[in-house]
Amino acid sequence: MRAAALDSAALARSLAAATEQARALPAELVERLTKAQLLRSGVPAHLGGPEAPPAVSLETAEVVARGDASAGWCVSIAVTSSLLSAYLPPKGAEEVFADPDVVAAGVWAPRGKGVAAGGGVVLSGQWAFCSGIPHASWLCAGFLVDGELKVAAIPKTDLRVLDTWHTNGLCGTGSHDCVAEDVFVPDHRVFSVVSGPPADATALHRFPLFGYFALSIAAAALGNARGAIDDLLAIAGTRKSLGSSRTLAERSHTQSTVASCEAALRAARLLMYQSIADAWQAAQGGEPVSESLRVGLRLAATHVVRTSAEVTTAMYELGGGTTIYRSSPLERRFRDAHTATAHFQVNQASYELPGKILLGQQARADQL
């Protein structure tokens, strides 16, 4: 899977400008990612999926994002949506995820309202930030029914996709709004993500779901920051500032900034993957992953995204005046990095929940 991710990253980099202009992943790239099963690595083996460990799936998203952040983001979101295959009733899981060419998008926030009907629910709502919906066949959408949070797997053919994704960064993710109007969803495609994994879940699906979701954003941000360093290094040996006889690489400020950013990014990455390894080891047992390990996942995810944005900003600023043009990869990296920081799972406010727990204050630990 890592080899496939490297191959996809090279293609994503070559198509990055076209991806941004189209505000969606090119069909050629989607086909490459789909054939490698990088968009469904959370699907269990009994449904024909890779059932890859979290570190493997998240690294594939990181690697692809090093080529292009929008592509890596779409891998991340599709992987987290594919994890829901273990939460669906068996009939629904088979219907949605058995086809290896099918990609699911997901917005679990309860932006819809369901009314119980014979054998299912009638659902209406509008969901924003449906990343990857241009190439997805299904949307896993959160809603409330009788005051309870549920998620429904809805065919895209039953939805209206609104052209709303006109943004500053991550333009190629195609994260448009989707609308359902009195759509009937049978019970076998309705499930809960708040009651924990099924009793017969494998280690992958005992791994904390909300922590995985936050880490998926971190993986894309991490890859984007590494790509920003790549982009700066590619020009540092030849570019000279106005009035300077030295290249960027020869300047002491560039040297110290690159070195400190390299150290910060390596440290953040180590924290992330060590936190994943600790929680993954715990998921092998029969007990739920501990609160302290779940706190570690959320801390790592937010820290990685914030650090990645700082590193990307530093590379953007080192590049000088040419980075302000849309033709500069660093200009796109900068916008993508700061769009990622706005995600509610990893924004500055996301430190509040683990902070409460660390301080012994009352908190919703089930949201970790």
Side-chain angles (χ1 to χ4, degrees):
M1 290 183 70
R2 192 176 192 283
L6 286 167
D7 178 61
S8 298
L11 179 60
R13 179 181 287 274
S14 71
L15 295 172
T19 297
E20 178 157 77
Q21 184 175 12
R23 293 181 295 123
L25 300 191
E28 179 185 359
L29 180 56
V30 173
E31 182 180 7
R32 185 82 56 93
L33 294 169
T34 302
K35 285 187 175 180
Q37 298 208 76
L38 298 184
L39 301 175
R40 66 189 306 266
S41 58
V43 175
H46 75 267
L47 288 173
E51 199 173 323
V56 173
S57 294
L58 291 167
E59 187 180 12
T60 64
E62 177 193 354
V63 168
V64 174
R66 186 172 182 175
D68 175 54
S70 287
W73 183 281
C74 286
V75 172
S76 285
I77 297 303
V79 168
T80 56
S81 297
S82 75
L83 292 169
L84 301 180
S85 54
Y87 288 75
L88 274 160
K91 181 179 178 181
E94 180 76 24
E95 181 179 354
V96 177
F97 288 103
D99 185 345
D101 292 331
V102 163
V103 179
V107 179
W108 311 342
R111 301 301 185 191
K113 182 178 180 181
V115 178
V121 294
V122 175
L123 179 59
S124 295
Q126 181 167 336
W127 295 266
F129 307 113
C130 299
S131 297
I133 197 64
H135 58 261
S137 302
W138 294 84
L139 177 70
C140 295
F143 69 99
L144 292 174
V145 56
D146 298 327
E148 187 177 359
L149 172 61
K150 295 284 189 177
V151 178
I154 311 170
K156 188 168 71 173
T157 52
D158 286 349
L159 300 166
R160 283 194 299 120
V161 179
L162 307 182
D163 186 7
T164 54
W165 193 244
H166 300 272
T167 57
N168 185 49
L170 295 171
C171 302
T173 62
S175 304
H176 302 290
D177 286 18
C178 287
V179 177
E181 297 170 335
D182 295 326
V183 173
F184 177 75
V185 183
D187 284 335
H188 68 265
R189 287 198 268 110
V190 176
F191 58 99
S192 171
V193 294
V194 296
S195 57
D200 60 348
T202 63
L204 174 59
H205 301 101
R206 287 195 299 272
F207 191 91
L209 182 64
F210 289 100
Y212 200 128
F213 184 24
L215 289 163
S216 72
I217 306 306
L222 191 63
N224 183 58
R226 173 56 60 194
I229 294 178
D230 292 340
D231 293 338
L232 189 280
L233 296 181
I235 63 174
T238 56
R239 182 159 299 169
K240 297 178 181 178
S241 298
L242 184 64
S244 175
S245 61
R246 294 179 299 166
T247 65
L248 288 177
E250 293 170 328
R251 298 179 65 186
S252 59
H253 175 64
T254 304
Q255 295 159 4
S256 61
T257 301
V258 168
S260 63
C261 286
E262 180 68 28
L265 199 63
R266 290 190 191 189
R269 187 179 193 275
L270 181 61
L271 173 65
M272 173 173 151
Y273 282 101
Q274 185 60 59
S275 299
I276 293 169
D278 292 343
W280 178 239
Q281 183 177 5
Q284 309 300 312
E287 297 298 319
V289 175
S290 70
E291 182 181 277
S292 64
L293 290 175
R294 287 181 284 138
V295 165
L297 295 176
R298 294 301 299 273
L299 287 173
T302 301
H303 178 69
V304 163
V305 172
R306 314 308 292 183
T307 301
S308 295
E310 291 169 2
V311 168
T312 305
T313 298
M315 297 302 104
Y316 171 81
E317 291 177 345
L318 283 176
T322 58
T323 61
I324 68 173
Y325 292 96
R326 289 292 175 118
S327 58
S328 168
L330 280 168
E331 189 270 346
R332 183 174 61 252
R333 296 286 188 189
F334 176 81
R335 289 185 287 105
D336 290 346
H338 288 278
T339 301
T341 61
H343 196 284
F344 79 99
Q345 285 275 13
V346 291
N347 62 17
Q348 190 65 35
S350 68
Y351 275 130
E352 182 179 340
L353 175 59
K356 284 182 177 180
I357 293 171
L358 291 170
L359 289 164
Q361 301 297 301
Q362 187 175 1
R364 289 284 306 276
D366 60 338
Q367 296 177 349
L368 288 171

